[in-house]
Amino acid sequence: QVQLAESGGGVVQPGGSLRLSCEASGIIFSNYALGWYRQAPGKQREFVASISRYSGGSTKYADSVKGRFTISRDNAKNSVYLQMNALRPEDTAVYYCNADLVLHRILEEWGRFSTWGQGAQVTVSA
């Protein structure tokens, strides 16, 4: 059973930066594709970014964060990261990570995941 622990959230001003971390346990980490998701108040959870398994050579981003956010992974630390730059108030949300052996499920079928971490709160406000 995979366990996920997000960290690195906080309160930042518009235009600021923040780096989120997610440590996974209970899996052979390098075999899994990974994704970041977020849920803003009063809205549905949405996909943010994904990275392929092993060396993470393939990444994908939601249009709303493209050019501002960067996903990366460190298999030695069983961790995936989300570097967030040029933050906007509309980025305010709880951010979650998840993992799957199949990249397609990270991109399209993540709503079926039954296990989530506690999430990391990101608040962008002046």
Side-chain angles (χ1 to χ4, degrees):
Q1 293 280 12
V2 62
Q3 291 184 313
L4 304 157
E6 299 93 344
S7 62
V11 180
V12 296
Q13 294 182 326
S17 298
L18 209 59
R19 190 189 193 213
L20 302 181
S21 299
C22 170
E23 184 175 3
S25 60
I27 59 173
I28 302 176
F29 184 81
S30 62
N31 290 344
Y32 283 73
L34 302 154
W36 283 98
Y37 312 86
R38 67 185 182 186
Q39 186 168 23
K43 295 185 177 180
Q44 295 292 111
R45 186 175 291 170
E46 64 178 349
F47 168 83
V48 175
S50 68
I51 188 167
S52 57
R53 62 185 180 178
Y54 305 137
S55 296
S58 180
T59 59
K60 187 176 179 63
Y61 301 90
D63 288 342
S64 58
V65 307
K66 196 171 299 181
R68 300 187 297 122
F69 291 11
T70 303
I71 187 172
S72 61
R73 66 188 297 159
D74 186 341
N75 294 331
K77 296 181 178 180
N78 285 6
S79 294
V80 60
Y81 308 99
L82 187 68
Q83 178 66 47
M84 305 182 292
N85 298 326
L87 283 162
R88 305 165 180 169
E90 52 263 43
D91 295 319
T92 295
V94 179
Y95 285 71
Y96 303 88
C97 63
N98 223 308
D100 203 282
L101 289 169
V102 182
L103 181 60
H104 175 264
R105 293 203 284 265
I106 290 290
L107 295 170
E108 303 292 340
E109 300 180 7
W110 51 267
R112 297 183 178 183
F113 293 159
S114 60
T115 300
W116 296 89
Q118 78 285 352
Q121 176 69 54
V122 173
T123 302
V124 185
S125 176

